[in-house]
Amino acid sequence: MADKQQNYSADQIQVLKGLEPVRKRPGMYIGTTDVRGLHHLIWEVLDNAIDEAMAGHCDRIMVVINEDGSATVADNGRGIPVDKHKVTGVSALETVLTVLHAGGKFGGDESGYKVSGGLHGVGVSVVNALSKRILAEVRRDGKVHSQEYKMGVAQGEIEVTGETKSTGTAITFWPDPKVFETIVFDAQTILTRLRQQAYLTKGVTICFEDRRPGAHEGVVAGDASFKYQFYFEGGVKSYVDHLNLNKEPICDVIYIEHEVPEAKIEIALQYSQSYNENVITFANNIHTLEGGMHLTGFKSALTRSLNNYARNKGFLKEKDLNMTNEDVREGLTAVISVKLADPQFEGQTKSKLGNPEIRSAVEAVFNEKLSEYLEENPNEGKIIVGKGMLASRARLASRAARDTVLRKGALEGMTLPGKLADCTTRDPGKSEIYIVEGDSAGGSAKQGRDRYTQAILPLRGKILNVEQARLDRMLGNNEIKALIIALGTGIGETFDIARLRYNRIVIMTDADVDGAHIRTLLLTLFFRYFKPLIEAGYVYIAQPPLYKISKGKTSEYAFTDEAKENILKDWGVEVKTEEETAVEDEEDEAAEEAAEDAATETGEKEDKEKKVVKQRVSIQRYKGHGEMNPDQLWETTMDPERRTMLKVSIADAELADSVFDTLMGSEVLPRRKFIQTHAKKVKNLDI
Ligand code: 0RA
């Protein structure tokens, strides 16, 4: 379809006007125009396909990043209707694509729930407005119907472009580079989302393919594309299995699915040997990071039914105190998913469910079903109550132990740790602390820093994994103790953000696997015990360069592989493999010697000068900060004028906390993955 019209018709002007606010203020509709906002476009189209699946009309969804970097979301649903509406004279397809918030009016609604985002459920028209081009293909009534849009404006009528026996909708879009800071999609971000959506929409197969050339080459010889497929028969039950993959469960997964007038409620939970809780909540498939009414209802029902059960069965004697909320959540992994007609999202990041009726609905349903389960499964009941009662005793004992530690002043600001190189200013607003991996990097950082504002705390080796330790044991770990004392806030019940000594806390670990692991452990520590510091935006990750590229006296730093390639290209250097470079080096040296010989023999000065100008490019890869000298570390990573740092968000820290191990640990390397679970067994097939 070519550019048919140069002049806009009245209809098109209408559409332009309708979508104009979106192009003027994209942030109002998709939050940001950075890489997050870019992915928002995919979530938006995906939500529509998921809606079609939840209404029972579709069991297969495919997300493809095409060779040219555009994205396609396709489903095998009914296909968006293409015939013109009697009254408006416009097809449902065109309405969905050009009218803000139109999606809902057409949603399949047989289940009695119009389950659509609310948070990011702004509609496909927003995607249309922010794409330089969209191609919509609908398979319906034996035909393939196609229509193209540019910046939100239809480039003609719907055309029949083929015949088909299947039905479904496929939307391909090219994000507008004038709107977004970047238009490069990230496969890992998409995979994480698709996996989550697959858990929440059980029985639906979600496929992903990255067809960009070279994006993932070298891992599977001769196959540069990247394919994944998710299918979870068990829904949120499979999700809990997944979250507990690296833990030791002590009971089966308890699964509850129930529908009441207010909502559809799905809950899965399991206890493990771990001491920490990991409860993840969703409302209408949106991750409610800040929790909300569904979580509140769940918590009170859990405490109430476990205490009731423990009393009725005589585990808790008359003299015993009840288990607290914290006690019954020790070692708990749970996923709570509610679907409701009119979700109210509140909170700082609009990710807290506010509907009060959901609290009582979840509380009543969960209380009844859990009590039933415990009655029917006395063995499991005994294990679960045993875990809670143990936590309760440990809490009392550990409080006593910790009180002793605290009384001894181990955590008070009196004695700052010896290895902390503190800054001279006492103004937290001006102070920064760099948490550095290893003594040698610590040395460079201490010499390179600005002593007035920058403090350095080197950590030796790996800090204790807080996932596996209770607070009292953590306080016995010297590395953690040093960090807590340096921060000045105290920890646990004594935490007080007002006593924080630095308003910037910078994690600076090496660019290798160990560094990534230490960074994860630190993020987990901050997430579990210093959440307010993350929420206040005080925690950062330093961004050191990966390479130093030098030629003669000039040198540049590259912070990514892409930047390295660009610098080399700018310098007119062909990128070669190491072997080729080695061979060339030898040839060069031979030629150089020959040239020098010739120069001395014939006295031709000119030739020699040419040789001197042709200098070799050296690429130095930094594996650790210890390899950088203090000046280099200062100018690349620590100088507030020149450095870039990543601010850690709760979402980053939560990701580190809950999915890092399972997701990054085992599943990134194999490039083709078909992941499916069935009710009783978890199967991971490598193809
Ligand atoms: C309204 C009505 C019908 C289908 C859809 C919307 C629909 C929308 C999307 C968006 C992405 N995929 C979709 N699939 C279907 C069909 C009504 C009917 O056929 O009776």
Side-chain angles (χ1 to χ4, degrees), residues 48-49 52 75 78-81 106 140 169:
N48 285 275
E52 184 72 356
D75 64 61
R78 293 165 296 179
I80 307 179
F106 296 90
R140 227 183 127 91
T169 305

Side-chain angles (χ1 to χ4, degrees), residues 357-389:
E357 73 278 11
I358 298 301
R359 184 177 56 76
S360 31
V362 171
E363 189 171 344
V365 167
F366 185 48
N367 193 42
E368 185 193 326
K369 298 285 166 189
L370 182 60
S371 302
E372 247 174 62
Y373 177 89
L374 295 171
E375 284 299 333
E376 287 164 15
N377 300 274
N379 287 338
E380 304 277 301
K382 194 173 165 189
I383 293 171
I384 293 170
V385 167
K387 171 102 185 169
M389 288 175 57

Side-chain angles (χ1 to χ4, degrees), residues 452-463:
Y452 183 61
T453 58
Q454 296 179 323
I456 310 295
L457 180 69
L459 291 184
R460 197 170 298 129
K462 293 202 174 157
I463 63 166

Side-chain angles (χ1 to χ4, degrees), residues 250-351:
I250 57 168
C251 61
D252 283 344
V253 180
I254 303 171
Y255 176 68
I256 289 158
E257 191 185 15
H258 197 73
E259 202 170 327
V260 288
E262 297 86 359
K264 252 186 204 163
I265 300 167
E266 220 187 331
I267 298 172
L269 68 150
Q270 186 179 41
Y271 284 90
S272 76
Q273 296 286 13
S274 153
Y275 296 118
N276 298 119
E277 63 165 297
N278 187 9
V279 180
I280 304 182
T281 63
F282 297 87
N284 292 3
N285 283 16
I286 290 168
H287 186 182
T288 33
L289 254 171
E290 298 173 90
M293 291 299 169
H294 47 349
L295 180 60
T296 311
F298 169 85
K299 283 181 183 173
S300 36
L302 183 69
T303 312
R304 183 147 62 96
S305 46
L306 288 180
N307 275 312
N308 276 345
Y309 180 76
R311 292 247 174 243
N312 285 340
K313 300 289 167 203
F315 295 120
L316 276 179
K317 306 278 185 279
E318 214 166 303
K319 62 175 170 48
D320 293 329
L321 290 171
N322 267 354
M323 295 176 279
T324 66
N325 276 326
E326 282 71 33
D327 295 338
V328 297
R329 294 206 308 269
E330 199 172 282
L332 170 71
T333 298
V335 176
I336 302 161
S337 167
V338 297
K339 286 165 186 162
L340 61 159
D342 184 22
Q344 305 294 317
F345 292 101
E346 302 171 346
Q348 260 191 331
T349 55
K350 292 262 174 282
S351 63

Side-chain angles (χ1 to χ4, degrees), residues 132-150:
K132 64 177 188 197
R133 181 177 171 216
I134 272 199
L135 189 60
E137 272 191 333
V138 171
R139 291 163 189 270
R140 227 183 127 91
D141 310 321
K143 299 189 189 79
V144 183
H145 311 264
S146 308
Q147 192 176 28
E148 191 180 357
Y149 291 79
K150 284 189 176 156

Side-chain angles (χ1 to χ4, degrees), residues 179-190:
V179 172
F180 294 96
E181 286 164 28
T182 170
I183 53 165
V184 181
F185 290 110
D186 176 56
Q188 202 57 54
T189 304
I190 297 169

